[in-house]
Amino acid sequence: MDKQMLKNIAEALNVYQDSVLRKTEELLRLLQAKSSIKSLNNQAKSVLCLDLASQCLGVSFEKDAALALSGLKKSAYQKSLNTLEQILGLNKVLTVSEACVQLSCTAVKDDAEDILSAYKQQRDGLEDWEHPQYAAAAVFLASRAKKLSIDKQKIVAMSRIKPSQWKELLSSFKNLEISNGRQLGKGLEAEIVSEMGECEPVKEVAPDEVEEYAVWRQRILKEAYEALAGRQSVHSDAA
């Protein structure tokens, strides 16, 4: 698929960030080199790679519209997404050590390990610990507690969760009991409170302004189809 067609699909899904498009192109090239999935056409592959690229970079993504544009049923979409994730090596477990190396903050590795260990004990095995969000949060909090500068945007993207979910994740690290003598407790609490303070207040929405889900979904799909059809028509005329 050419770049213009990919851009058309991305815009139909309200994805305009150049970084996401570049990441999608990278994933498509890698997918072509590693595997030829005959059950998926080029448009479906592009939509799925846009989804994965958005996840990698922490960018919001309209799943319902993507599902419609992919031409796949919901179960097939998720199965294909998981398959591509495995083929492209995006399901690798992120460790604290790897996160520290990627973020150039190896000095806080031990502290981050202690934070994550204490968090696991507190949560008592209720989480999927292979998800990268936990290692990312532990490294972030260890760095902030030690006043070490760190690229917040990069680590949030590394966590593979949305910014709003990132705030919720950090709040769940409150009241950790870290018995390692490193005196991280107060520093952690201060940084978590600071992060929570950066949250924008949620705007109250009047009941009559709330759009029902079914109506919203139908509108989003209609707009996505119209946008894609219009851009394809313009592209064809230009050619």
Side-chain angles (χ1 to χ4, degrees):
M1 178 174 289
D2 61 33
K3 288 187 177 182
Q4 185 59 47
M5 186 63 69
L6 176 60
K7 185 178 180 181
N8 291 343
I9 293 175
E11 290 179 354
L13 297 172
N14 289 325
V15 176
Y16 299 97
Q17 296 88 338
D18 289 337
S19 58
V20 177
L21 289 175
R22 288 194 297 270
K23 185 65 176 179
T24 303
E25 291 173 357
E26 175 190 329
L27 294 178
L28 285 169
R29 286 194 297 269
L30 187 59
L31 180 62
Q32 185 176 10
K34 285 192 170 187
S35 174
S36 58
I37 304 177
K38 296 180 180 180
S39 59
L40 296 174
N41 59 32
N42 287 337
Q43 181 160 312
K45 290 177 183 177
S46 296
V47 171
L48 290 165
C49 284
L50 272 167
D51 191 340
L52 291 173
S54 297
Q55 289 182 44
C56 289
L57 299 174
V59 175
S60 60
F61 190 75
E62 296 181 359
K63 285 280 191 179
D64 286 325
L67 186 62
L69 290 179
S70 71
L72 301 171
K73 292 183 179 179
K74 188 172 183 179
S75 58
Y77 183 97
Q78 189 58 50
K79 183 177 180 180
S80 298
L81 194 67
N82 294 339
T83 299
L84 263 61
E85 192 173 40
Q86 292 177 354
I87 292 173
L88 297 170
L90 299 177
N91 60 337
K92 182 180 179 182
V93 178
L94 178 71
T95 65
V96 164
S97 179
E98 289 172 342
C100 287
V101 170
Q102 291 184 40
L103 295 162
S104 301
C105 58
T106 53
V108 301
K109 175 182 174 296
D110 291 340
D111 290 338
E113 292 279 13
D114 289 329
I115 291 171
L116 184 57
S117 177
Y119 183 74
K120 287 181 177 180
Q121 291 178 15
Q122 176 178 285
R123 306 295 287 189
D124 195 24
L126 298 177
E127 314 292 343
D128 175 12
W129 299 117
E130 291 189 351
H131 196 285
Q133 61 181 311
Y134 304 109
V139 172
F140 175 77
L141 289 172
S143 299
R144 291 290 294 265
K146 288 299 183 71
K147 308 302 180 184
L148 182 66
S149 177
I150 192 170
D151 188 335
K152 181 179 176 181
Q153 185 175 4
K154 184 175 181 179
I155 200 167
V156 172
M158 189 183 294
S159 73
R160 302 281 297 279
I161 57 177
K162 297 179 180 179
S164 59
Q165 294 173 314
W166 174 256
K167 301 289 186 182
E168 295 177 9
L169 174 64
L170 293 187
S171 69
S172 70
F173 275 76
K174 285 183 177 179
N175 304 317
L176 283 184
E177 295 183 7
I178 303 175
S179 57
N180 62 0
R182 288 193 175 90
Q183 302 299 318
L184 283 175
K186 291 183 179 180
L188 276 179
E189 289 296 313
E191 291 307 324
I192 291 172
V193 170
S194 174
E195 283 295 306
M196 295 305 102
E198 293 177 9
C199 293
E200 295 182 359
V202 178
K203 180 182 178 182
E204 294 292 334
V205 181
D208 58 353
E209 293 180 0
V210 178
E211 186 175 24
E212 291 186 5
Y213 174 77
V215 176
W216 171 84
R217 184 177 186 277
Q218 185 176 11
R219 177 175 61 79
I220 287 296
L221 294 181
K222 182 180 178 182
E223 291 175 356
Y225 276 125
E226 290 177 348
L228 181 60
R231 293 187 179 95
Q232 288 178 335
S233 176
V234 171
H235 182 57
S236 298
D237 293 341

